[in-house]
Amino acid sequence: MPTAVSLTKTQDADPRFDIMPATFQALPTLLALGLTPQDMLRINAARSTFCTLEAGESLYYQGDDCRNIYLLLDGWAFRHQILEDGRRQILDFAVPGVVFGLPGSGTMSHSLETLTSCTFTVFTRERLFDLMRDIPTLGFRLLEIMADAEARAFEHLTSVGRRTAKERVAHLLLELVMRAHGQTPVLRQGTMVLPLMLPHIADALGLTSETVCRALSLMRKERIVILRGQKLEILDLKRLAAAAGVDLSTELDQATGRRGDLRLAS
Amino acid sequence: MPTAVSLTKTQDADPRFDIMPATFQALPTLLALGLTPQDMLRINAARSTFCTLEAGESLYYQGDDCRNIYLLLDGWAFRHQILEDGRRQILDFAVPGVVFGLPGSGTMSHSLETLTSCTFTVFTRERLFDLMRDIPTLGFRLLEIMADAEARAFEHLTSVGRRTAKERVAHLLLELVMRAHGQTPVLRQGTMVLPLMLPHIADALGLTSETVCRALSLMRKERIVILRGQKLEILDLKRLAAAAGVDLSTELDQATGRRGDLRLAS
DNA sequence: CGTTTCCTTGAGTTATCTCAACCCAGGTGG
DNA sequence: CCACCTGGGTTGAGATAACTCAAGGAAACG
């Protein structure tokens, strides 16, 4: 299993990073909560390496000995595991602001593949450690991000283990809507772009694409959501939540509470 | 949903913590890799609060507004989510050394329930932040622990999403053996204590206890493992791995590589 | 030694899978 | 500009892994 891509090295760190190019705006959104502007500058100065992938390429493969930490700046990607006989499980979908490839132990347990063209920032393990030493808040923030990722993984696990096919599909769509809402606000009234194909949804949910298709046609008939091509249209968010078995008001409270939480006490 | 237990506060931090009581030995094993003895002392000094639970009690519930970080010192526990209609998904099993309740956002997405009597150390969010500021290595170590937990969750997800009942059971048993091996070495030749009942295994794997029972009887007939009561007897680790769909040699390489990894570069 | 709790096994049911045909939209080339 | 082709999506019918319900059985406990 070869390493996927060569990394592009930019010119040396430029102290004038406060004039940030467009691709750098993703960093503040998710990572930066609780950080001071000076901290931001230092982090940006450390981001001397990044890389870009086309849709369908892999940043790393299951079994690679990955020593880097990645921050997805732009695009959609997903992480997945593949069994010997080809069965695939999609572990999660990555949207801008997601951090991964963190200093776990041993070799990578999964691969990362892009859904659209993507831009990543790459920190080496050592550079991250230095940054965390200089900026304690960063370490704490990363811990929060990891904890959120864990919560998402758990929610996902509950879906796959204990929900019906229709509930799973509804739940995944709801999650993606909520997450996209935090990022790029949902496009005009309830429509957003999902760069997924049915097999992606199926492999994320432990189903076949036929079953996903049937669940989607059902919800289309019930006028809950319409997913055609890459366009997801939400007709009735409330009933989508109901179909997912989620109490939407609680969920929203949590999402807003979440924002509040992200501000660091100190 | 009430908070589960009252916390017991010990006498103020004692600088002579290098003479550690028995319950404190769990900290070094998993958390302490890469930390200096002085760091250990400071962390121990900050552990002024702990709590003890009997088997079957809960440390916190789904929906609680939990602001603490817990370290399991002794005993077995599990984290789980419950749906409205009572369906339960067990998210993971906790053994001594596991860290959880980390500063995610919003309210707790799951509950923690003990399987045996347990002892936990409790850090408040603020205290942990202070510690991380003082001991940068601690933050990095916690990040590693979280990354390992994520890898376990992903492996678990793949099991539930894409493996057959027998594969799932074999895989879980294998995971528990491997983890216990790192901790309390497996009891005499291939026998260890598992404080689980069949419904726990079933709810962890997205199965019913009957299906788990059938998978276990099958493996018993095949002379792979015997699980009776709380005693797990491994008759043929190689074939257990094969049944789990895992290449054991790779897995072992990884585990040993892992130990190496845990030592921090700096 | 009875009671309780959990494990085991069987037989019928069902959600999801498998396999296969068909459809539709978009792109390409004549 | 239209015919064809291709890569998904859709729908149906039969197969199957796992579920449900139900009846024992064994071990643990008082």
Side-chain angles (χ1 to χ4, degrees):
Chain A
M1 301 223 186
T3 300
V5 277
S6 57
L7 301 175
T8 318
K9 187 142 190 140
T10 63
Q11 60 273 48
D12 266 336
D14 185 340
R16 293 161 301 161
F17 257 114
D18 44 359
I19 305 153
M20 274 183 280
T23 49
F24 279 20
Q25 295 187 346
L27 177 61
T29 322
L30 228 173
L31 185 62
L33 287 153
L35 299 180
T36 66
Q38 300 96 292
D39 290 342
M40 291 295 307
L41 284 182
R42 271 190 286 180
I43 295 172
N44 274 325
R47 292 201 287 156
S48 56
T49 315
F50 65 91
C51 85
T52 304
L53 268 67
E54 289 308 301
E57 295 186 319
S58 290
L59 183 58
Y60 53 77
Y61 289 99
Q62 208 166 327
D64 280 1
D65 186 19
C66 167
R67 323 255 63 199
N68 296 322
I69 289 84
Y70 302 98
L71 170 64
L72 176 55
L73 295 177
D74 195 60
W76 281 65
F78 65 93
R79 297 195 274 174
H80 67 281
Q81 274 183 339
I82 300 208
L83 303 183
E84 283 71 38
D85 57 1
R87 283 174 286 178
R88 175 175 76 163
Q89 177 67 45
I90 291 187
L91 305 165
D92 68 350
F93 294 104
V95 297
V98 165
V99 177
F100 56 89
L102 266 167
S105 47
T107 58
M108 296 310 286
S109 63
H110 60 268
S111 312
L112 186 134
E113 186 176 326
T114 58
L115 287 164
T116 65
S117 62
C118 285
T119 317
F120 305 90
T121 297
V122 185
F123 297 90
T124 64
R125 211 179 161 80
E126 291 68 30
R127 180 155 270 177
L128 179 71
F129 185 66
D130 292 344
L131 268 178
M132 282 174 56
R133 189 198 301 277
D134 292 347
I135 311 170
T137 313
L138 173 65
F140 203 78
R141 182 72 196 109
L142 282 174
L143 232 38
E144 289 187 320
I145 288 175
M146 287 297 281
D148 279 345
E150 180 179 73
R152 267 203 313 278
F154 282 170
E155 203 63 56
H156 190 174
L157 187 54
T158 301
S159 247
V160 173
R162 286 295 180 220
R163 286 194 242 252
T164 66
K166 189 184 168 195
E167 288 173 330
R168 290 186 220 185
V169 173
H171 195 268
L172 176 61
L173 293 182
L174 194 62
E175 183 207 315
L176 293 176
V177 170
M178 303 295 263
R179 288 176 72 189
H181 206 273
Q183 295 298 130
T184 0
V186 170
L187 307 189
R188 77 189 68 169
Q189 33 90 346
T191 300
M192 68 177 281
V193 172
L194 274 192
L196 309 177
M197 294 187 305
L198 290 201
H200 291 123
I201 301 178
D203 285 339
L205 299 179
L207 299 169
T208 59
S209 60
E210 291 93 332
T211 303
V212 172
C213 183
R214 283 183 245 268
L216 283 171
S217 350
L218 204 68
M219 289 199 285
R220 194 182 311 135
K221 275 195 202 92
E222 296 175 317
R223 310 247 76 211
I224 296 178
V225 288
I226 298 175
L227 179 61
R228 310 185 51 71
Q230 320 248 286
K231 216 186 72 194
L232 174 69
E233 196 174 342
I234 311 286
L235 303 176
D236 192 335
L237 191 63
K238 224 166 188 163
R239 282 198 299 142
L240 178 62
V246 167
D247 181 356
L248 195 56
S249 60
T250 316
E251 199 63 18
L252 284 174
D253 285 359
Q254 195 135 333
T256 48
R258 202 164 282 173
R259 302 260 158 274
D261 273 339
L262 297 183
R263 261 165 255 128
L264 206 57
S266 128
Chain B
M1 301 223 188
T3 299
V5 277
S6 57
L7 302 175
T8 317
K9 188 145 189 139
T10 63
Q11 59 273 52
D12 266 336
D14 184 339
R16 293 162 303 163
F17 258 113
D18 44 358
I19 305 154
M20 276 184 277
T23 49
F24 279 20
Q25 297 187 345
L27 175 60
T29 322
L30 229 173
L31 184 61
L33 287 154
L35 299 180
T36 66
Q38 300 95 289
D39 290 343
M40 291 295 308
L41 284 182
R42 273 191 285 182
I43 295 172
N44 274 326
R47 293 201 288 155
S48 57
T49 316
F50 66 91
C51 86
T52 304
L53 268 66
E54 289 307 301
E57 294 187 320
S58 290
L59 183 58
Y60 53 77
Y61 290 100
Q62 209 166 328
D64 279 1
D65 186 19
C66 167
R67 323 255 65 202
N68 296 323
I69 289 84
Y70 303 98
L71 170 65
L72 177 54
L73 295 177
D74 195 60
W76 282 64
F78 65 93
R79 297 195 272 176
H80 67 281
Q81 274 184 337
I82 300 207
L83 303 183
E84 282 72 36
D85 58 1
R87 283 175 285 177
R88 176 175 77 163
Q89 176 68 45
I90 291 187
L91 305 165
D92 68 350
F93 295 104
V95 297
V98 165
V99 177
F100 55 89
L102 268 167
S105 48
T107 59
M108 294 312 286
S109 62
H110 60 269
S111 311
L112 185 134
E113 187 176 326
T114 58
L115 288 163
T116 65
S117 62
C118 285
T119 317
F120 304 90
T121 297
V122 186
F123 298 89
T124 63
R125 213 180 160 79
E126 292 69 30
R127 180 156 272 177
L128 180 70
F129 184 65
D130 292 343
L131 268 178
M132 282 174 55
R133 188 197 303 277
D134 292 347
I135 312 171
T137 311
L138 174 65
F140 204 78
R141 183 73 196 108
L142 283 174
L143 232 39
E144 289 187 319
I145 289 174
M146 287 298 281
D148 279 346
E150 181 178 74
R152 266 204 313 279
F154 282 171
E155 202 63 54
H156 191 174
L157 187 55
T158 301
S159 246
V160 173
R162 287 295 179 218
R163 285 193 242 253
T164 65
K166 189 184 168 194
E167 288 173 329
R168 288 185 221 185
V169 173
H171 195 269
L172 176 61
L173 293 183
L174 195 61
E175 183 207 316
L176 294 176
V177 170
M178 304 294 262
R179 288 175 72 189
H181 207 273
Q183 295 299 129
T184 1
V186 170
L187 308 188
R188 78 189 70 169
Q189 32 92 347
T191 300
M192 68 177 282
V193 173
L194 274 193
L196 309 176
M197 294 187 305
L198 290 201
H200 291 122
I201 301 179
D203 284 341
L205 299 178
L207 299 169
T208 59
S209 60
E210 291 93 332
T211 303
V212 172
C213 184
R214 284 183 245 267
L216 283 171
S217 345
L218 205 67
M219 289 198 284
R220 193 181 313 135
K221 277 193 201 93
E222 298 175 317
R223 310 247 77 210
I224 297 179
V225 288
I226 298 175
L227 179 60
R228 314 185 49 71
Q230 320 248 286
K231 215 186 73 194
L232 174 69
E233 196 174 343
I234 312 286
L235 302 178
D236 191 335
L237 191 63
K238 222 163 189 166
R239 282 197 298 143
L240 179 62
V246 168
D247 181 356
L248 195 57
S249 60
T250 316
E251 199 64 16
L252 284 174
D253 286 358
Q254 195 136 332
T256 49
R258 202 165 282 170
R259 303 259 157 273
D261 274 339
L262 296 182
R263 260 164 258 129
L264 207 57
S266 124

